[in-house]
Amino acid sequence: MSETPSGDSGKGELDASDSNPAVVPSDDEDLSAPAELPSSGLSRRGLFIGAGAAAAVVAGGGLGAWLTLRRTPGSGAVNRALKIGHGGGICEAPLYAALHQGIFEKHGLNVEIIKTAGGEIKDAVGAGKLDAAPGIFFSWLKPIEQGIDAKLAAGLHEGCLRIVVPPDSPIKNVSELRGQPVGVGAIGDSAMSFFSLDLLDAGLNPTKDVNWRVFDADQLPDALARGEIVAIAASDPVALLPTLKGKARELTNNSQGINKQHYCCATAISGKLLRDDPDVARSLVTAWAEGSRWVGANTSAAAKIQVDNKYVAAELPTVDAILKTYGYNPSASRLKAEITPGIAKFAKTGYLDAKTDPEALANKVYVDLGLKW
């Protein structure tokens, strides 16, 4: 397990023994949803307020005070302590932003983030050792089908999964990966799971026609350079860094093609927290989504948080450039709409039980916390 960076009391290490301008709401708007901030045009709700409304916000104590009034029901000032796992990815920016910008605290949450190895994080959430973690829903389907006690509640952002190949590679599309070694961080991880859908569309059997090779994430670019693998399937920054350095080119990503998904990252919540305190779970997901919107409106500041706290091993301009490629429009309802059809197609890859009922598994995977956004 990698060391957790020092410098913030909200960070820790998993111990296996431990059990912008405001938006004025309309009369019929759900006040349990967080305020949506403008994020470089990515927000799909109206973002304009009149001069009089703006003056009212300022007179009432400013944006921070107004946002505080929009806490979720049951959040209050409970100061509930929560442990959230993370892997140190650039795409985890909403989590880091919510912590360092005081968004979790504003929602009555005392959050500690804990660096956790990719192969351990799902088990830790399922066992209640972690209260939550970010992750793509495809990589959570099999564990949940097999009994992991966790559910997905909302999507956070899109755009962080990629397949890259050497700049001079003759490979032009995923169909040419048949029989080839493709590097991943773990069998069944987010990138392997998602791009199996593209392989399926290209007429390949993802479990038989591709030679998946596992490397530590930071070793994947070197393995590509040495010719041990012909491609990397990974999340950022692993897949994008060699591309930015001119040592790879992008073959595809999860924002392209027929299998485009709105969310590469979602909120996975432990079943224990959902049963014990659903109001706290609702507050957690709402604050996390607010962190995503903040990143969308403040990518440079979000990049600085990641670099200054050594969450990612990349330079500030690189992290900033990567964050600007994502789409930040977090949604609970949109994720819910994508899960059933996503499961139906993912079942064809062979990673799920052949008798999987997409609707039944969707009900097992997704938790409706009553969030209207």
Side-chain angles (χ1 to χ4, degrees):
M1 189 180 304
S2 57
E3 291 294 321
T4 300
S6 60
D8 189 273
S9 59
K11 295 169 291 183
E13 195 75 28
L14 181 63
D15 183 346
S17 66
D18 289 341
S19 47
N20 303 323
V23 185
V24 175
S26 62
D27 291 340
D28 60 349
E29 183 179 355
D30 171 37
L31 294 183
S32 70
E36 190 159 37
L37 307 181
S39 55
S40 304
L42 289 168
S43 174
R44 289 169 174 80
R45 285 169 52 192
L47 295 172
F48 299 99
I49 60 174
V57 169
V58 173
L63 177 59
W66 181 77
L67 285 175
T68 300
L69 295 176
R70 292 171 62 89
R71 290 180 179 173
T72 57
S75 63
V78 296
N79 199 33
R80 172 66 183 269
L82 297 174
K83 294 181 178 181
I84 302 179
H86 72 110
I90 289 177
C91 58
E92 293 169 324
L95 173 61
Y96 307 139
L99 176 66
H100 288 271
Q101 291 302 114
I103 298 172
F104 287 133
E105 183 178 3
K106 184 193 75 180
H107 284 270
L109 306 173
N110 177 17
V111 166
E112 177 186 9
I113 63 172
I114 299 175
K115 184 73 174 291
T116 311
E120 301 171 0
I121 201 163
K122 294 181 180 65
D123 287 337
V125 173
K129 293 184 173 69
L130 292 172
D131 295 291
I136 187 173
F137 84 79
F138 287 111
S139 69
W140 285 83
L141 295 180
K142 187 65 175 180
I144 293 176
E145 181 185 50
Q146 293 180 324
I148 286 286
D149 187 17
K151 288 181 179 288
L152 306 183
L156 291 170
H157 66 80
E158 61 185 75
C160 67
L161 300 175
R162 309 172 197 274
I163 294 182
V164 299
V165 297
D168 57 353
S169 170
I171 296 174
K172 302 299 182 184
N173 57 68
V174 295
S175 66
E176 296 171 35
L177 295 175
R178 183 187 296 273
Q180 300 292 338
V182 176
V184 293
I187 295 298
D189 70 3
S190 298
M192 177 179 170
S193 298
F194 176 81
F195 291 115
S196 289
L197 300 178
D198 285 351
L199 295 170
L200 190 69
D201 287 336
L204 278 64
N205 183 323
T207 62
K208 298 179 180 178
D209 294 336
V210 173
N211 179 16
W212 300 105
R213 298 280 305 279
V214 177
F215 292 83
D216 288 340
D218 58 357
Q219 295 300 312
L220 282 166
D222 290 339
L224 185 70
R226 292 193 299 266
E228 295 179 41
I229 52 178
V230 302
I232 295 172
S235 58
D236 293 335
V238 174
L240 192 53
L241 282 178
T243 305
L244 294 175
K245 295 176 181 178
K247 297 181 179 181
R249 64 176 171 82
E250 191 167 292
L251 191 65
T252 188
N253 63 57
N254 70 309
S255 294
Q256 297 178 347
I258 191 171
N259 293 310
K260 174 179 177 178
Q261 292 290 323
H262 289 110
Y263 301 112
C264 48
C265 290
T267 58
I269 312 297
S270 78
K272 184 178 186 302
L273 177 62
L274 291 169
R275 289 187 298 274
D276 291 351
D277 205 333
D279 279 348
V280 167
R282 185 183 303 112
S283 295
L284 172 61
V285 174
T286 301
W288 209 332
E290 191 175 319
S292 178
R293 295 187 185 94
W294 186 89
V295 173
N298 303 275
T299 54
S300 296
K304 192 172 188 303
I305 288 173
Q306 292 189 308
V307 173
D308 286 354
N309 291 278
K310 296 181 172 58
Y311 290 130
V312 297
E315 296 181 353
L316 182 60
T318 298
V319 178
D320 189 16
I322 291 174
L323 290 179
K324 282 180 167 62
T325 68
Y326 300 160
Y328 303 90
N329 188 35
S331 174
S333 59
R334 208 171 189 186
L335 177 67
K336 180 180 181 180
E338 291 186 349
I339 285 184
T340 301
I343 290 173
K345 185 158 190 176
F346 191 65
K348 298 176 183 178
T349 64
Y351 294 138
L352 299 177
D353 190 291
K355 298 179 180 178
T356 294
D357 179 337
E359 189 69 35
L361 183 54
N363 290 334
K364 191 175 181 181
V365 166
Y366 179 78
V367 60
D368 189 342
L369 293 172
L371 300 169
K372 301 296 180 64
W373 39 273

